[in-house]
């Protein structure tokens, strides 16, 4: 990544910090300076799904992650890779209500429709061109909001909305995204519906999608559920 790209990235992080500090995060607001996550409960306090490390034992490494300068492996059927930096990678994020990801896209790579049940996402394009969009809830008539983003453009995906990104260029694309949770979670729509374990009844999905039973069985076979 070139120097200017890092400058754009650091500007994005600064804006992100200001945005989330002035907004109500999905995670509860902390009542202490920090709560560095530890797996061992000895002398710990359980907060937001993690035990807190003794503050006297906290060190700079608890707030540090190295690696977002490295491209992710996009050699998969969708042609994308997400490098996640949440509370699992930086224990110091525990209770702070924020995390970040790097997303790499091969030419025509797709981050397929998915949702984050616990976070709003703000995405900035560092390289390439992405076609992005999200679908509003039934309350708003399932309106589809979409845009083609180029280098330096920013787009927001509201919490819980189904969204995607598609690389419409002939070259690799890179994006960074901030999320308003230490652990946003992700539900990939096709995997969840057609690849659940155990599988959802074929009769249920056939009626829900108003298609032939064979279509559902083929989709379940493709996404891993097999026949029910």
């Amino acid at each position: 990544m070139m120097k200017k790209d890092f400058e754009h990235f650091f500007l994005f992080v600064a804006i992100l910090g200001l945005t989330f500090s002035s907004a109500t995060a999905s995670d509860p607001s902390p009542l202490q300076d920090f709560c560095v996550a530890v797996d061992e409960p000895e002398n710990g306090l359980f907060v937001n799904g993690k035990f807190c490390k003794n503050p006297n034992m906290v060190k700079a490494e608890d707030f540090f992650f190295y690696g977002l300068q490295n491209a992710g492996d996009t050699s998969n059927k969708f042609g994308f890779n997400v490098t996640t930096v949440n509370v699992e990678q930086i224990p110091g994020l525990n209770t702070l209500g924020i995390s970040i990801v790097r997303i790499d896209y091969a030419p025509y790579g797709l981050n397929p429709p998915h949702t984050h049940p616990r976070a709003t996402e703000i995405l900035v394009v560092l390289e390439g061109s992405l076609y992005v969009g999200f679908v509003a809830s039934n309350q708003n008539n399932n309106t589809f909001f979409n845009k083609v983003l180029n280098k330096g453009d920013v787009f927001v995906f509201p919490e819980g909305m189904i969204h995607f990104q598609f690389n419409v260029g002939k070259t690799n694309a890179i994006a960074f995204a901030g999320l308003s949770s230490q652990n946003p979670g992700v539900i990939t729509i096709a995997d969840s519906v057609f690849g659940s374990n155990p599988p959802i009844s074929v009769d249920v999905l056939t009626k829900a999608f108003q298609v032939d039973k064979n279509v559902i069985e083929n989709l379940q076979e493709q996404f891993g559920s097999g026949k029910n």
Side-chain angles (χ1 to χ4, degrees), residues 27 33 60 62 80 97 104 125 142 147 155 175 193 213:
D27 297 342
D33 287 345
D62 292 321
F80 88 109
D104 291 277
V125 178
N142 303 117
K147 194 82 174 174
F155 198 82
V193 175
K213 180 179 179 180

Side-chain angles (χ1 to χ4, degrees), residues 107-167:
Y108 307 111
L110 171 69
N111 187 1
H114 63 281
T115 179
H116 302 292
R118 294 179 291 277
T120 290
E121 176 180 346
I122 182 169
L123 178 140
V124 60
V125 178
L126 267 67
E127 293 291 342
S129 297
L130 297 176
Y131 173 54
V132 307
F134 71 88
V135 179
S137 66
N138 296 4
Q139 177 183 346
N140 287 302
N141 302 313
N142 303 117
T143 303
F144 178 41
F145 298 92
N146 62 97
K147 194 82 174 174
V148 173
L149 307 181
N150 297 302
K151 184 175 180 178
D153 291 342
V154 176
F155 198 82
V156 174
F157 305 106
E159 180 176 336
M161 300 293 100
I162 296 172
H163 60 283
F164 67 88
Q165 304 105 34
F166 178 59
N167 182 4

Side-chain angles (χ1 to χ4, degrees), residues 12-111:
F12 164 68
V13 171
I15 295 172
L16 177 66
L18 290 173
T19 300
F20 287 135
S21 66
S22 62
T24 301
S26 179
D27 297 342
S29 297
L31 299 178
Q32 63 283 325
D33 287 345
F34 47 77
C35 170
V36 175
V38 290
D39 294 326
E40 297 298 326
E42 185 177 355
N43 297 323
L45 176 67
F46 195 73
V47 179
N48 282 26
K50 295 286 183 180
F51 288 98
C52 295
K53 179 185 283 189
N54 185 328
N56 295 326
M57 300 177 65
V58 171
K59 49 190 177 181
E61 285 73 17
D62 292 321
F63 303 95
F64 174 77
F65 175 84
Y66 175 86
L68 283 187
Q69 77 279 15
N70 298 323
D73 182 7
T74 59
S75 58
N76 53 66
K77 63 182 180 180
F78 291 113
F80 88 109
N81 183 280
V82 177
T83 303
T84 302
V85 185
N86 59 29
V87 70
E88 299 300 328
Q89 289 73 38
I90 301 182
L93 284 176
N94 192 41
T95 76
L96 298 186
I98 193 170
S99 57
I100 193 169
V101 299
R102 169 181 172 143
I103 315 172
D104 291 277
Y105 312 82
Y108 307 111
L110 171 69
N111 187 1

